[in-house]
């Protein structure tokens, strides 16, 4: 109470250990948090005091012993507030806070941290964070493989068509094999650019452009160069590739067929690109028998009908007319009912 900490330190060894936490709480209430941290033996209490005092060393040692995700998150917030980004990175990794790591890595412009985040989130099954990390690094091949591994074959096909046209055939074969298990005809309808070049105009130009941009993607630029880098929407990569070919600074080298493509699953039939003549899958051709219609043998052209057939037709016609006759009384009753219904209608005029 008098603030005589020298005397208190001399008396402290005589205080039993199970009473020290109570003494620490008393000191904390008196505002002596630093002394309370030195006296307390409760890890939870000491961690809270370390956070309040901003003592990263003590808090870090307690968090390592506790192995608590909540403690790592609390410590990461304190480390960020004090500008200790390395410690914050470690804490976020231990807390498995992949979203926080992505924010920290991109804010700091740390490519190594982003790559480590991509690998760790991929191993943990956090596909969204992993995909975004690889995309920020320009690692398009890993983005594509991640889509394939997560069974996102339609998305992988469109991703390859946009960024990696050389991989379209491989992805289409995988997609076709998967879709054929559900609907064989739908699987066959997927066209491969390698077999149907007429359905993909300008596809060869995109192949050359992909190879032209490989060197650019491999080059890392500092964050400060962002204002000088043109936006993708403002560029025409195909025209840049053609200009490079004309100037001789770029020569396209056709890739050799990959040996692994021979082992990829494929369907036995080629894709069907023409529209089907049937209305639905498996529909039978249109015939009169399918509608229950009877077939009739016609007489030779110009032959006259026989007298017997004419008599039979007259009898059938008379029978049908008799069945259609309506008595005069029934007809009048029907007219009266209609008039009554008209009287009951609302007058909206």
């Amino acid at each position: 109470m008098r603030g005589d900490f020298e005397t208190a330190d001399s008396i402290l060894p005589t205080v039993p250990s199970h009473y020290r936490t109570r003494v620490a709480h008393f000191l904390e209430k008196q505002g002596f948090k630093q002394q309370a941290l030195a006296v307390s033996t409760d890890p939870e209490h000491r961690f809270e005091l370390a956070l309040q005092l901003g003592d990263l060393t003590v808090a870090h040692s307690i968090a390592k012993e506790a192995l608590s995700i909540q403690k790592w998150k609390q410590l990461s917030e304190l480390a960020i507030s004090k500008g200790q980004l390395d410690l914050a990175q470690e804490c976020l990794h231990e807390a498995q806070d992949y979203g926080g790591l992505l924010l920290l890595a991109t804010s700091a412009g740390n490519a190594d941290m982003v790559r480590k985040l991509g690998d760790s989130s991929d191993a943990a099954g956090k596909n969204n964070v992993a995909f975004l990390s690889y995309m920020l690094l320009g690692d398009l091949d890993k983005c594509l493989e991640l889509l394939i591994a997560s069974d996102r074959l339609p998305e992988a096909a469109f991703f390859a068509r946009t960024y990696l046209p050389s991989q379209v055939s491989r992805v289409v074969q995988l997609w076709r094999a998967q879709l054929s298990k559900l609907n064989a005809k739908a699987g066959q309808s997927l066209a491969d650019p390698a077999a149907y070049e007429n359905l993909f105009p300008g596809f060869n130009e995109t192949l050359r452009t992909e190879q032209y941009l490989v060197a650019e993607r491999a080059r890392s630029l500092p964050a400060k160069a962002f204002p000088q880098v043109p936006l993708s929407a403002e560029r025409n990569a195909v025209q840049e590739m053609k200009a490079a070919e004309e100037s001789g600074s770029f020569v396209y080298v056709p890739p050799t067929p990959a040996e692994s493509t021979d082992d990829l699953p494929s369907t036995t039939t080629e894709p069907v690109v023409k529209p089907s003549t049937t209305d639905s899958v498996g529909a039978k051709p249109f015939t009169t028998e399918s509608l229950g219609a009877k077939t009739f043998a016609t007489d030779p052209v110009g032959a006259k009908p026989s007298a017997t057939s004419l008599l039979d037709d007259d009898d059938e016609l008379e029978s049908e007319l008799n069945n259609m006759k309506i008595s005069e009384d029934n007809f009048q009753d029907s007219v009266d009912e209609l008039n009554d219904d008209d009287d009951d209608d609302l007058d909206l005029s």
Side-chain angles (χ1 to χ4, degrees), residues 49-250:
L49 290 172
L51 291 180
Q52 295 176 24
L53 294 170
D55 193 335
L56 294 175
T57 304
V58 175
H60 182 247
S61 62
I62 296 174
K64 290 177 66 176
E65 295 175 359
L67 299 177
S68 171
I69 292 179
Q70 182 63 29
K71 284 184 172 59
W72 284 117
K73 287 183 178 181
Q74 291 177 305
L75 183 57
S76 67
E77 295 176 0
L78 179 61
I80 292 174
S81 65
K82 289 185 170 294
Q84 300 294 328
L85 299 184
D86 292 336
L87 178 59
Q89 177 185 354
E90 178 188 353
C91 296
L92 290 172
H93 270 293
E94 295 292 341
Q96 300 178 2
D97 187 354
Y98 298 104
L101 274 172
L102 182 62
L103 177 61
L104 177 63
T106 53
S107 300
N110 192 332
D112 294 334
M113 190 189 304
V114 175
R115 185 170 299 279
K116 182 180 179 182
L117 172 61
D119 296 338
S120 60
S121 57
D122 186 13
K126 304 296 182 180
N127 295 330
N128 291 340
V129 177
F131 182 87
L132 186 55
S133 300
Y134 292 141
M135 194 68 179
L136 290 172
L137 293 170
D139 197 340
L140 302 180
D141 293 314
K142 283 194 174 182
C143 290
L144 180 62
E145 295 304 324
L146 185 61
L147 290 173
I148 295 175
S150 58
D151 208 22
R152 298 275 187 169
L153 295 180
E155 291 88 344
F158 284 101
F159 183 87
R161 180 68 179 90
T162 305
Y163 297 103
L164 299 170
S166 62
Q167 301 294 324
V168 171
S169 296
R170 178 171 71 95
V171 179
V172 166
Q173 291 183 36
L174 295 172
W175 187 11
R176 185 186 300 169
Q178 181 195 62
L179 189 58
S180 296
K181 297 177 182 178
L182 303 176
N183 190 323
K185 189 169 184 179
Q188 296 168 11
S189 65
L190 296 175
D192 187 351
Y196 295 88
E197 296 182 3
N198 60 312
L199 299 180
F200 299 87
F203 187 75
N204 290 330
E205 294 180 352
T206 61
L207 290 174
R208 303 202 307 272
T209 305
E210 176 190 358
Q211 192 175 108
Y212 168 73
L213 294 175
V214 168
E216 180 177 318
R217 291 204 309 267
R219 185 173 66 253
S220 298
L221 297 176
K224 63 181 181 181
F226 174 76
Q228 287 76 35
V229 177
L231 299 176
S232 299
E234 300 174 353
R235 298 180 57 185
N236 190 327
V238 176
Q239 295 298 331
E240 294 178 12
M241 179 273 300
K242 291 182 178 180
E245 284 184 332
E246 293 177 358
S247 63
S249 59
F250 169 69

Side-chain angles (χ1 to χ4, degrees), residues 5 8-9 12-13 15-17 19-25 27-28 32-43 45-50 53 55 58 62:
F5 294 109
D9 291 339
L12 182 61
V15 178
S17 59
Y19 287 122
R20 291 192 177 185
T21 301
R22 296 179 61 181
V23 174
H25 282 289
L27 292 173
E28 181 184 4
F32 303 117
K33 295 182 179 180
Q34 189 67 47
Q35 288 72 20
L37 177 61
V39 172
S40 179
T41 58
D42 182 15
H45 188 215
R46 296 186 72 243
F47 184 78
E48 293 297 332
L49 290 172
L53 294 170
D55 193 335
V58 175
I62 296 174

